[in-house]
Amino acid sequence: MAAGARVLVVDDEPDIRQTVKDILEDEGYVVDLAESAAAAREARRRQRPDVVLLDIWMPDLDGISLLREWSERGGLPCPVIMISGHGTVETAVEATRLGAWDFIEKPISLAKLLLVVGHALEAGRLKRENEGLRRQLPAPTELVGSGKALQALRAQVEKIAGHDTGVLVQGEPGTGKETLARALHERSARRAGPFVTVAAGAIAREHAALALFGAEDANGVQHGLVEQANGGTLFLDEVADLDPELQLRLSSVIERRALIRCGGHEAAVIDARVIAATAHDLEALVAAGRFREELYYQLKVVPLTMPPLRERGDDIPELLRYYADYFANRDTLPYRNFPVAVQNRLRHYAWPGNLRELRNLVQRLLVLGSASDVGLDEVELALGSASPTSTAASMSAAGTPRVDFTLPLREAREQFERAYLLHQLNEAGGSVGKLAKAVGMERTHLYRKLKDLDIDPRQGGDGAR
């Protein structure tokens, strides 16, 4: 049972409403009551329920008609369980067609009530967890690795998971910031609730407010991603990509724990933990006026850093085994061993693409190889180098700039990213689509990164500005 899950009970009989409320509250549920269809609409508008118990026979509008109304105006808000004292087969068929989850007959059985509500909650949780999420290779829900850096990070996670404070996860692209956020979620009291990802850079700007905060009008309510995270965790992936207006609205939501949907006039309660992630220096963006200071401090109650893979050499053997096993099971590929010589080579590789690059490398080696052991020559070919030279040296040989190690970290990182993307753009023949696949980035993020680094893909790799 999901502690604190919200159940809306809609029934015109006061005794039944109160009896069901008492039973569910004894089990730890939060219960809202509505005596009519109009009251049910208002209760749903105020806050999204996790389950609705809906009586079929009511004086103003029957439950089937209300179910049809919800179904035809943006879909049901959550699993709906019908309550009936004298339903017919035709009524049951119609309710099922409209999406009703189950039926409970009057007089209500305590055992069946708790069983059906529990099953409906689980089904709703699974559905909500997938709403609005971008399609991607599922990240592990555990932090893989036994090195000192990961041990220290795990200790931090265990310490703060039980608190509901905001967390800001910082780290280079591809380091596994979402995995860290999921680890926090799985160890928290909200683990049974949804984990909703907001990929800020992947949402079209003209639809961003609607996608995040939802909408309402005379025809009904559309719940946005923020509201879908109620009872669970809202993960803001690359929060620096939010435009100023969205930053302001998000700051208000976090401060007030409530939001006003687009087109709405009254606030809806929000109960979600916020975990944000970024590869940018938010403090510098605040100083430059490109990120709201109040939002920065709201998010950075507890800062965590996901270390780059080049600093996690001791974790490489374990990560290789993990992803080899993962792809063997998911894609029905033959499992392949990584001998000590291969592990040693990869332990000393720079991993500019971090975990994302390692994951793609393992998948490629399992797809293209046939022998039970991965060969060193295969690895060199997959890495795109004939000899174990450093990434920076390889780029210089290809005609792209060498990184100046005398620069401050931020400038050196930008120089390296520009050199890396120029090299990969050349390899992709100037195709941004191929470049996105090669470096493991979504096109929206990639276009912004190229713009930030003053690289014009239309000019081709060699002609980039």
Side-chain angles (χ1 to χ4, degrees):
M1 191 272 290
R6 186 172 293 273
V7 180
L8 173 60
V9 180
V10 186
D11 197 299
D12 65 319
E13 297 183 52
D15 291 345
I16 290 180
R17 289 199 307 273
Q18 191 59 47
T19 299
V20 172
K21 182 176 187 291
D22 292 342
I23 292 170
L24 293 177
E25 286 185 340
D26 285 344
E27 294 296 316
Y29 294 104
V30 177
V31 182
D32 294 323
L33 300 178
E35 72 281 2
S36 64
R41 293 190 193 100
E42 177 59 20
R44 181 194 166 189
R45 189 206 62 76
R46 286 195 306 269
Q47 187 165 17
R48 175 178 177 156
D50 298 302
V51 172
V52 174
L53 291 167
L54 177 59
D55 187 25
I56 290 180
W57 304 112
M58 295 186 294
D60 61 336
L61 184 73
D62 65 87
I64 296 295
S65 297
L66 183 59
L67 185 70
R68 181 181 297 107
E69 175 186 307
W70 284 344
S71 180
E72 292 175 351
R73 294 178 178 176
L76 299 180
C78 59
V80 177
I81 301 166
M82 307 303 295
I83 302 175
S84 174
H86 44 278
T88 64
V89 173
E90 290 78 9
T91 300
V93 169
E94 177 66 4
T96 302
R97 185 186 69 80
L98 293 171
W101 169 255
D102 206 338
F103 289 82
I104 295 178
E105 295 181 353
K106 297 178 181 178
I108 295 174
S109 160
L110 169 62
K112 183 169 183 180
L113 172 67
L114 296 178
L115 181 66
V116 173
V117 169
H119 288 170
L121 269 173
E122 177 63 14
R125 183 188 69 81
L126 293 173
K127 180 176 183 294
R128 289 204 304 163
E129 195 168 47
N130 287 287
E131 285 179 347
L133 298 182
R134 65 193 186 281
R135 292 177 61 87
Q136 62 176 13
L137 178 70
T141 57
E142 293 295 328
L143 299 169
V144 179
S146 304
K148 290 182 179 179
L150 259 289
Q151 288 182 19
L153 190 57
R154 279 198 196 91
Q156 289 180 292
V157 167
E158 294 294 341
K159 188 173 183 179
I160 67 175
H163 301 281
D164 235 10
T165 54
V167 177
L168 178 62
V169 182
Q170 296 166 297
E172 296 176 8
T175 49
K177 295 185 288 293
E178 181 171 345
T179 301
L180 178 55
R182 287 183 179 273
L184 282 166
H185 173 75
E186 291 298 324
R187 287 162 176 77
S188 74
R190 296 176 177 273
R191 67 181 68 88
F195 181 94
V196 177
T197 298
V198 175
I203 303 174
R205 290 186 181 275
E206 61 269 24
H207 304 305
L210 183 67
L212 285 174
F213 305 111
E216 64 176 281
D217 55 26
N219 294 322
V221 173
Q222 178 181 338
H223 298 285
L225 291 169
V226 174
E227 207 168 348
Q228 289 172 25
N230 265 340
T233 299
L234 179 70
F235 176 61
L236 302 171
D237 188 15
E238 197 44 79
V239 68
D241 286 341
L242 292 173
D243 66 31
E245 180 186 351
L246 295 179
Q247 291 177 30
L248 176 61
R249 292 188 65 167
L250 181 61
S251 177
S252 175
V253 169
I254 294 173
E255 177 67 26
R256 301 180 182 184
R257 294 183 176 271
L259 63 77
I260 296 178
R261 306 181 190 100
C262 297
H265 302 286
E266 296 186 33
V269 176
I270 297 300
D271 175 28
R273 182 181 196 172
V274 179
I275 301 177
T278 184
H280 295 274
D281 184 345
L282 285 190
E283 191 170 0
L285 293 181
V286 169
R290 295 169 54 191
F291 197 84
R292 297 192 69 88
E293 184 176 26
E294 64 269 30
L295 179 58
Y296 171 65
Y297 287 113
Q298 286 170 327
L299 298 175
K300 196 184 178 182
V301 177
V302 178
L304 291 177
T305 299
M306 196 69 197
L309 193 54
R310 62 180 174 274
E311 296 177 6
R312 298 175 52 194
D314 292 344
D315 294 336
I316 297 298
E318 192 172 344
L319 286 164
L320 293 172
R321 290 191 298 270
Y322 173 87
Y323 282 112
D325 185 65
Y326 172 78
F327 286 116
N329 289 323
R330 195 199 72 165
D331 299 339
T332 321
L333 294 169
Y335 181 89
R336 304 188 71 195
N337 298 307
F338 288 78
V340 174
V342 171
Q343 293 179 26
N344 190 55
R345 167 69 179 99
L346 296 176
R347 280 167 60 105
H348 293 89
Y349 177 62
W351 297 111
N354 289 299
L355 277 175
R356 188 182 293 124
E357 184 181 4
L358 181 142
R359 184 184 69 200
N360 292 348
L361 175 71
V362 172
Q363 185 179 25
R364 188 182 314 141
L365 292 171
L366 262 61
V367 169
L368 298 179
S370 55
S372 59
D373 286 352
V374 174
L376 195 56
D377 56 339
E378 292 179 80
V379 172
E380 299 297 353
L381 184 62
L383 293 176
S385 59
S387 61
T389 55
S390 71
T391 305
S394 298
M395 288 183 179
S396 296
T400 51
R402 181 187 295 272
V403 175
D404 182 358
F405 294 101
T406 65
L407 291 173
L409 176 61
R410 183 182 175 190
E411 294 178 24
R413 181 184 298 157
E414 290 180 354
Q415 190 181 78
F416 169 79
E417 288 179 340
R418 190 171 194 280
Y420 172 72
L421 290 173
L422 280 170
H423 171 79
Q424 296 290 356
L425 188 60
N426 280 324
E427 292 292 312
S431 168
V432 176
K434 292 180 180 179
L435 175 62
K437 291 181 180 179
V439 302
M441 292 179 68
E442 295 180 3
R443 285 201 187 193
T444 305
H445 288 295
L446 181 57
Y447 273 115
R448 291 187 181 179
K449 174 62 71 174
L450 294 175
K451 183 179 180 181
D452 289 343
L453 296 174
D454 200 27
I455 298 175
D456 185 358
R458 294 171 299 180
Q459 300 297 323
D462 294 321
R465 293 180 287 114

